[in-house]
Amino acid sequence: MRPLIDVSTLERMLKRGGPAPVLLDVRWHLGGPPGVESYRKGHLPGAVFVDLDRDVAGTPGSGGRHPLPEPAAFEAAMRRAGVFADRPVVVYDGADSTAAARLWWTLRYFGHENVRVLDGGYHAWTTAGNAVAVGDSYEEVEPGDFQARPGNLPVLDAAGAAALAKAGVLLDARASERYRGEVEPIDPVAGHIPGAVNAPTLGNVGVDGRFLPSELLRERFAGLGATDAVDVGAYCGSGVTAAHEILALHLAGIPAALYVGSWSAWVADPTNPVATGEA
């Protein structure tokens, strides 16, 4: 199943009657106001807010700033949001799907088989002139029955990421200046995993936040050495934008593993080597 859905297709699904897809709003602003504030000002009718830091990640620590949540905690969060095993789920964020891709990936990792990302997010929905709702929708949510079963998508640990950087292609989804080690606004050490190739996430989308066509994504990744003929993985600062890279690779027909702990977990171990500059 194609992991993206456009606004017009979602509109038709919502209007046709019968069980509608579960809508999850996961807007998240790194260093900005909480996403729930944007949600309360306006969201897709019937959508429920999901907090990326609280619901889609575990407690920060040696496993990184956004480690995998515990299965029981994620299951409880998704049930509160009304997620059912047999109902489709559509996730969205503000526009570029950075946070939505992490929720898409996490739901898929824990076994939900019918999850799609609204391409262009809330911006695309409102630009099309569609109605929005305000306030909270939690009171109207029927608790779901989703069961979290981990292990349905490939993941990397630090050793696996290091090995893949040598034997396959490990993509670093952060901005180029962070990859080169020129700046590091968040983590205590600047640089990248030795052997990793820089592929900034924003290169996967156009100015409107929508993903590039699959053929352009294939060309982009092929130019970086990532094809379906080699083993591919991705990491970023904390495993959020790298999930966006995994989604873009999926659209390009390239299977890839996610290093969930990413750079924040890598530098938590002082024995891990650090490279700077260009590859």
Side-chain angles (χ1 to χ4, degrees), residues 91-136:
V91 302
Y92 71 90
D93 58 25
D96 63 12
S97 300
T98 299
R102 171 63 186 248
L103 180 52
W104 165 83
W105 185 92
T106 308
L107 277 163
R108 294 286 292 108
Y109 173 82
F110 281 110
H112 202 296
E113 297 180 353
N114 194 345
V115 188
R116 287 193 278 182
V117 173
L118 178 60
D119 200 17
Y122 184 73
H123 175 73
W125 180 264
T126 55
T127 299
N130 291 308
V132 300
V134 298
D136 287 322

Short mmCIF file of all heavy atoms in Angstrom, two decimals, residues 91-136:
data_model
loop_
_atom_site.label_atom_id
_atom_site.label_comp_id
_atom_site.label_asym_id
_atom_site.label_seq_id
_atom_site.Cartn_x
_atom_site.Cartn_y
_atom_site.Cartn_z
N VAL A 91 -2.01 10.01 9.29
CA VAL A 91 -1.27 10.89 10.18
C VAL A 91 -0.82 12.12 9.42
O VAL A 91 -0.58 12.06 8.21
CB VAL A 91 -0.06 10.16 10.82
CG1 VAL A 91 -0.51 8.94 11.58
CG2 VAL A 91 0.96 9.75 9.75
N TYR A 92 -0.72 13.25 10.11
CA TYR A 92 -0.28 14.47 9.44
C TYR A 92 0.40 15.39 10.43
O TYR A 92 0.22 15.29 11.66
CB TYR A 92 -1.44 15.18 8.75
CG TYR A 92 -2.44 15.83 9.70
CD1 TYR A 92 -2.28 17.16 10.12
CD2 TYR A 92 -3.55 15.13 10.17
CE1 TYR A 92 -3.19 17.76 10.98
CE2 TYR A 92 -4.46 15.72 11.03
CZ TYR A 92 -4.28 17.04 11.44
OH TYR A 92 -5.18 17.63 12.30
N ASP A 93 1.20 16.31 9.88
CA ASP A 93 1.78 17.39 10.68
C ASP A 93 1.54 18.70 9.95
O ASP A 93 0.58 18.82 9.18
CB ASP A 93 3.26 17.12 11.01
CG ASP A 93 4.12 16.94 9.77
OD1 ASP A 93 3.76 17.45 8.69
OD2 ASP A 93 5.18 16.28 9.87
N GLY A 94 2.40 19.70 10.17
CA GLY A 94 2.15 21.01 9.58
C GLY A 94 2.21 21.03 8.07
O GLY A 94 1.34 21.58 7.41
N ALA A 95 3.27 20.44 7.49
CA ALA A 95 3.40 20.48 6.04
C ALA A 95 4.35 19.43 5.49
O ALA A 95 4.02 18.69 4.58
CB ALA A 95 3.85 21.87 5.58
N ASP A 96 5.59 19.34 6.06
CA ASP A 96 6.63 18.57 5.39
C ASP A 96 6.71 17.11 5.82
O ASP A 96 7.59 16.38 5.36
CB ASP A 96 7.98 19.24 5.55
CG ASP A 96 8.45 19.32 7.01
OD1 ASP A 96 7.84 18.66 7.88
OD2 ASP A 96 9.43 20.05 7.27
N SER A 97 5.82 16.67 6.70
CA SER A 97 5.72 15.26 7.13
C SER A 97 6.88 14.78 7.98
O SER A 97 7.03 13.57 8.19
CB SER A 97 5.55 14.32 5.91
OG SER A 97 4.38 14.63 5.19
N THR A 98 7.71 15.67 8.50
CA THR A 98 8.84 15.25 9.32
C THR A 98 8.36 14.49 10.55
O THR A 98 8.83 13.37 10.82
CB THR A 98 9.68 16.46 9.74
OG1 THR A 98 10.19 17.10 8.57
CG2 THR A 98 10.84 16.03 10.61
N ALA A 99 7.45 15.08 11.31
CA ALA A 99 6.94 14.40 12.50
C ALA A 99 5.97 13.29 12.12
O ALA A 99 5.95 12.23 12.75
CB ALA A 99 6.26 15.41 13.42
N ALA A 100 5.17 13.51 11.09
CA ALA A 100 4.20 12.50 10.67
C ALA A 100 4.90 11.22 10.24
O ALA A 100 4.41 10.12 10.49
CB ALA A 100 3.33 13.04 9.54
N ALA A 101 6.05 11.36 9.59
CA ALA A 101 6.78 10.17 9.15
C ALA A 101 7.26 9.34 10.35
O ALA A 101 7.28 8.11 10.29
CB ALA A 101 7.98 10.58 8.29
N ARG A 102 7.65 10.01 11.44
CA ARG A 102 8.07 9.25 12.63
C ARG A 102 6.88 8.47 13.21
O ARG A 102 7.03 7.31 13.62
CB ARG A 102 8.67 10.19 13.67
CG ARG A 102 8.94 9.56 15.04
CD ARG A 102 9.97 8.43 15.02
NE ARG A 102 10.06 7.78 16.32
CZ ARG A 102 11.10 7.83 17.14
NH1 ARG A 102 12.19 8.51 16.77
NH2 ARG A 102 11.09 7.21 18.29
N LEU A 103 5.70 9.07 13.24
CA LEU A 103 4.53 8.35 13.74
C LEU A 103 4.16 7.23 12.78
O LEU A 103 3.81 6.12 13.21
CB LEU A 103 3.37 9.30 13.95
CG LEU A 103 2.07 8.68 14.48
CD1 LEU A 103 2.29 7.87 15.74
CD2 LEU A 103 1.02 9.77 14.72
N TRP A 104 4.20 7.50 11.46
CA TRP A 104 3.96 6.45 10.46
C TRP A 104 4.90 5.27 10.69
O TRP A 104 4.47 4.12 10.76
CB TRP A 104 4.16 7.03 9.06
CG TRP A 104 4.29 6.02 7.97
CD1 TRP A 104 3.27 5.37 7.31
CD2 TRP A 104 5.51 5.49 7.40
NE1 TRP A 104 3.79 4.49 6.38
CE2 TRP A 104 5.16 4.55 6.41
CE3 TRP A 104 6.86 5.74 7.64
CZ2 TRP A 104 6.12 3.85 5.66
CZ3 TRP A 104 7.82 5.07 6.90
CH2 TRP A 104 7.44 4.12 5.93
N TRP A 105 6.20 5.58 10.84
CA TRP A 105 7.19 4.52 11.00
C TRP A 105 6.93 3.74 12.30
O TRP A 105 7.00 2.50 12.32
CB TRP A 105 8.59 5.12 11.01
CG TRP A 105 9.67 4.08 11.07
CD1 TRP A 105 10.32 3.48 10.02
CD2 TRP A 105 10.20 3.46 12.25
NE1 TRP A 105 11.21 2.55 10.47
CE2 TRP A 105 11.16 2.51 11.83
CE3 TRP A 105 9.96 3.62 13.61
CZ2 TRP A 105 11.88 1.72 12.75
CZ3 TRP A 105 10.66 2.83 14.52
CH2 TRP A 105 11.62 1.90 14.08
N THR A 106 6.62 4.45 13.38
CA THR A 106 6.45 3.79 14.68
C THR A 106 5.22 2.89 14.67
O THR A 106 5.26 1.76 15.20
CB THR A 106 6.36 4.83 15.81
OG1 THR A 106 7.47 5.72 15.72
CG2 THR A 106 6.39 4.17 17.17
N LEU A 107 4.13 3.35 14.09
CA LEU A 107 2.94 2.50 13.98
C LEU A 107 3.25 1.26 13.14
O LEU A 107 2.84 0.15 13.49
CB LEU A 107 1.79 3.28 13.36
CG LEU A 107 0.99 4.15 14.33
CD1 LEU A 107 0.15 5.18 13.57
CD2 LEU A 107 0.07 3.30 15.20
N ARG A 108 3.97 1.44 12.05
CA ARG A 108 4.32 0.29 11.21
C ARG A 108 5.26 -0.65 11.96
O ARG A 108 5.11 -1.87 11.89
CB ARG A 108 4.97 0.78 9.91
CG ARG A 108 4.04 1.58 9.00
CD ARG A 108 3.03 0.68 8.29
NE ARG A 108 3.70 -0.19 7.34
CZ ARG A 108 3.88 -1.49 7.49
NH1 ARG A 108 3.42 -2.12 8.56
NH2 ARG A 108 4.50 -2.21 6.57
N TYR A 109 6.22 -0.09 12.67
CA TYR A 109 7.16 -0.92 13.43
C TYR A 109 6.42 -1.78 14.45
O TYR A 109 6.76 -2.95 14.67
CB TYR A 109 8.19 -0.04 14.13
CG TYR A 109 9.11 -0.80 15.06
CD1 TYR A 109 10.23 -1.47 14.58
CD2 TYR A 109 8.85 -0.85 16.43
CE1 TYR A 109 11.06 -2.19 15.43
CE2 TYR A 109 9.68 -1.56 17.29
CZ TYR A 109 10.78 -2.23 16.78
OH TYR A 109 11.59 -2.94 17.63
N PHE A 110 5.40 -1.21 15.08
CA PHE A 110 4.64 -1.93 16.10
C PHE A 110 3.46 -2.71 15.51
O PHE A 110 2.60 -3.17 16.26
CB PHE A 110 4.17 -0.98 17.19
CG PHE A 110 5.25 -0.63 18.19
CD1 PHE A 110 5.78 0.64 18.23
CD2 PHE A 110 5.73 -1.57 19.08
CE1 PHE A 110 6.78 0.98 19.14
CE2 PHE A 110 6.72 -1.26 20.00
CZ PHE A 110 7.25 0.02 20.03
N GLY A 111 3.40 -2.85 14.20
CA GLY A 111 2.50 -3.83 13.61
C GLY A 111 1.23 -3.34 12.95
O GLY A 111 0.47 -4.15 12.44
N HIS A 112 0.97 -2.00 12.92
CA HIS A 112 -0.23 -1.56 12.21
C HIS A 112 0.07 -1.57 10.71
O HIS A 112 1.04 -1.00 10.25
CB HIS A 112 -0.65 -0.16 12.64
CG HIS A 112 -2.10 0.12 12.38
ND1 HIS A 112 -2.64 0.16 11.11
CD2 HIS A 112 -3.14 0.35 13.23
CE1 HIS A 112 -3.93 0.41 11.18
NE2 HIS A 112 -4.27 0.52 12.46
N GLU A 113 -0.81 -2.20 9.93
CA GLU A 113 -0.53 -2.43 8.52
C GLU A 113 -1.16 -1.42 7.59
O GLU A 113 -0.91 -1.44 6.38
CB GLU A 113 -0.99 -3.84 8.12
CG GLU A 113 -0.25 -4.95 8.86
CD GLU A 113 -0.71 -6.33 8.46
OE1 GLU A 113 -1.70 -6.43 7.70
OE2 GLU A 113 -0.08 -7.31 8.89
N ASN A 114 -1.98 -0.51 8.10
CA ASN A 114 -2.71 0.40 7.23
C ASN A 114 -2.56 1.83 7.73
O ASN A 114 -3.46 2.39 8.36
CB ASN A 114 -4.19 0.00 7.17
CG ASN A 114 -4.94 0.69 6.03
OD1 ASN A 114 -4.46 1.67 5.46
ND2 ASN A 114 -6.11 0.17 5.72
N VAL A 115 -1.39 2.40 7.48
CA VAL A 115 -1.07 3.75 7.94
C VAL A 115 -0.59 4.57 6.75
O VAL A 115 0.27 4.11 5.98
CB VAL A 115 0.04 3.76 9.02
CG1 VAL A 115 0.21 5.16 9.60
CG2 VAL A 115 -0.25 2.75 10.10
N ARG A 116 -1.13 5.77 6.61
CA ARG A 116 -0.68 6.64 5.53
C ARG A 116 -0.43 8.06 6.07
O ARG A 116 -1.03 8.48 7.06
CB ARG A 116 -1.69 6.67 4.39
CG ARG A 116 -1.67 5.38 3.58
CD ARG A 116 -2.43 5.50 2.27
NE ARG A 116 -3.85 5.32 2.46
CZ ARG A 116 -4.73 5.34 1.46
NH1 ARG A 116 -4.33 5.56 0.22
NH2 ARG A 116 -6.01 5.15 1.70
N VAL A 117 0.43 8.76 5.37
CA VAL A 117 0.79 10.13 5.72
C VAL A 117 0.07 11.07 4.76
O VAL A 117 0.10 10.87 3.53
CB VAL A 117 2.32 10.34 5.61
CG1 VAL A 117 2.67 11.81 5.79
CG2 VAL A 117 3.04 9.48 6.64
N LEU A 118 -0.57 12.10 5.30
CA LEU A 118 -1.22 13.11 4.45
C LEU A 118 -0.14 13.98 3.83
O LEU A 118 0.51 14.77 4.51
CB LEU A 118 -2.19 13.96 5.28
CG LEU A 118 -2.91 15.09 4.51
CD1 LEU A 118 -3.75 14.51 3.36
CD2 LEU A 118 -3.78 15.91 5.46
N ASP A 119 0.05 13.84 2.53
CA ASP A 119 1.11 14.56 1.83
C ASP A 119 0.82 16.06 1.84
O ASP A 119 -0.23 16.50 1.38
CB ASP A 119 1.20 14.05 0.39
CG ASP A 119 2.53 14.36 -0.27
OD1 ASP A 119 3.50 14.68 0.45
OD2 ASP A 119 2.61 14.26 -1.52
N GLY A 120 1.74 16.83 2.39
CA GLY A 120 1.54 18.27 2.51
C GLY A 120 0.90 18.70 3.81
O GLY A 120 0.85 19.88 4.13
N GLY A 121 0.39 17.73 4.58
CA GLY A 121 -0.09 17.98 5.93
C GLY A 121 -1.22 18.98 6.05
O GLY A 121 -2.05 19.16 5.14
N TYR A 122 -1.27 19.62 7.21
CA TYR A 122 -2.34 20.57 7.51
C TYR A 122 -2.35 21.73 6.51
O TYR A 122 -3.42 22.22 6.13
CB TYR A 122 -2.14 21.09 8.93
CG TYR A 122 -3.22 22.03 9.42
CD1 TYR A 122 -4.48 21.54 9.76
CD2 TYR A 122 -2.98 23.40 9.55
CE1 TYR A 122 -5.47 22.40 10.21
CE2 TYR A 122 -3.97 24.26 10.01
CZ TYR A 122 -5.22 23.76 10.34
OH TYR A 122 -6.20 24.61 10.79
N HIS A 123 -1.18 22.13 6.06
CA HIS A 123 -1.10 23.23 5.09
C HIS A 123 -1.84 22.86 3.81
O HIS A 123 -2.59 23.67 3.26
CB HIS A 123 0.36 23.55 4.80
CG HIS A 123 0.55 24.59 3.73
ND1 HIS A 123 0.29 25.93 3.94
CD2 HIS A 123 0.95 24.48 2.43
CE1 HIS A 123 0.54 26.60 2.84
NE2 HIS A 123 0.94 25.75 1.91
N ALA A 124 -1.63 21.65 3.32
CA ALA A 124 -2.30 21.23 2.09
C ALA A 124 -3.81 21.16 2.29
O ALA A 124 -4.59 21.52 1.39
CB ALA A 124 -1.77 19.87 1.64
N TRP A 125 -4.23 20.71 3.47
CA TRP A 125 -5.67 20.61 3.76
C TRP A 125 -6.33 21.98 3.75
O TRP A 125 -7.38 22.16 3.13
CB TRP A 125 -5.86 19.93 5.12
CG TRP A 125 -7.28 19.77 5.56
CD1 TRP A 125 -7.99 20.59 6.38
CD2 TRP A 125 -8.17 18.71 5.18
NE1 TRP A 125 -9.27 20.11 6.55
CE2 TRP A 125 -9.41 18.95 5.83
CE3 TRP A 125 -8.04 17.58 4.37
CZ2 TRP A 125 -10.51 18.11 5.68
CZ3 TRP A 125 -9.14 16.73 4.23
CH2 TRP A 125 -10.36 17.00 4.87
N THR A 126 -5.74 22.95 4.41
CA THR A 126 -6.35 24.28 4.49
C THR A 126 -6.20 25.04 3.18
O THR A 126 -7.10 25.80 2.80
CB THR A 126 -5.73 25.09 5.63
OG1 THR A 126 -4.31 25.15 5.48
CG2 THR A 126 -6.06 24.46 6.98
N THR A 127 -5.10 24.83 2.47
CA THR A 127 -4.92 25.49 1.18
C THR A 127 -6.00 25.07 0.19
O THR A 127 -6.41 25.84 -0.67
CB THR A 127 -3.52 25.18 0.61
OG1 THR A 127 -2.53 25.66 1.51
CG2 THR A 127 -3.31 25.82 -0.75
N ALA A 128 -6.47 23.83 0.33
CA ALA A 128 -7.54 23.33 -0.54
C ALA A 128 -8.91 23.87 -0.13
O ALA A 128 -9.92 23.57 -0.79
CB ALA A 128 -7.57 21.81 -0.52
N GLY A 129 -8.96 24.67 0.93
CA GLY A 129 -10.22 25.29 1.36
C GLY A 129 -11.09 24.42 2.22
O GLY A 129 -12.29 24.70 2.37
N ASN A 130 -10.53 23.38 2.80
CA ASN A 130 -11.34 22.47 3.63
C ASN A 130 -11.57 23.03 5.03
O ASN A 130 -10.77 23.79 5.55
CB ASN A 130 -10.64 21.11 3.73
CG ASN A 130 -10.63 20.37 2.41
OD1 ASN A 130 -11.68 20.21 1.79
ND2 ASN A 130 -9.47 19.95 1.97
N ALA A 131 -12.68 22.59 5.62
CA ALA A 131 -13.05 23.05 6.96
C ALA A 131 -12.10 22.47 8.00
O ALA A 131 -11.51 21.40 7.82
CB ALA A 131 -14.48 22.64 7.27
N VAL A 132 -11.96 23.20 9.11
CA VAL A 132 -11.15 22.73 10.23
C VAL A 132 -11.98 22.84 11.50
O VAL A 132 -13.00 23.52 11.54
CB VAL A 132 -9.84 23.54 10.37
CG1 VAL A 132 -8.99 23.42 9.12
CG2 VAL A 132 -10.13 25.01 10.70
N ALA A 133 -11.52 22.14 12.52
CA ALA A 133 -12.15 22.19 13.84
C ALA A 133 -11.17 22.83 14.81
O ALA A 133 -9.95 22.87 14.57
CB ALA A 133 -12.52 20.79 14.31
N VAL A 134 -11.66 23.33 15.93
CA VAL A 134 -10.83 23.95 16.96
C VAL A 134 -11.07 23.25 18.29
O VAL A 134 -12.03 22.51 18.46
CB VAL A 134 -11.09 25.46 17.08
CG1 VAL A 134 -10.75 26.18 15.79
CG2 VAL A 134 -12.55 25.72 17.46
N GLY A 135 -10.17 23.53 19.24
CA GLY A 135 -10.32 22.92 20.55
C GLY A 135 -9.76 21.51 20.57
O GLY A 135 -8.90 21.14 19.77
N ASP A 136 -10.26 20.68 21.51
CA ASP A 136 -9.83 19.30 21.66
C ASP A 136 -10.92 18.34 21.21
O ASP A 136 -12.10 18.66 21.27
CB ASP A 136 -9.48 18.98 23.12
CG ASP A 136 -8.18 19.63 23.55
OD1 ASP A 136 -7.25 19.67 22.73
OD2 ASP A 136 -8.10 20.10 24.71
#
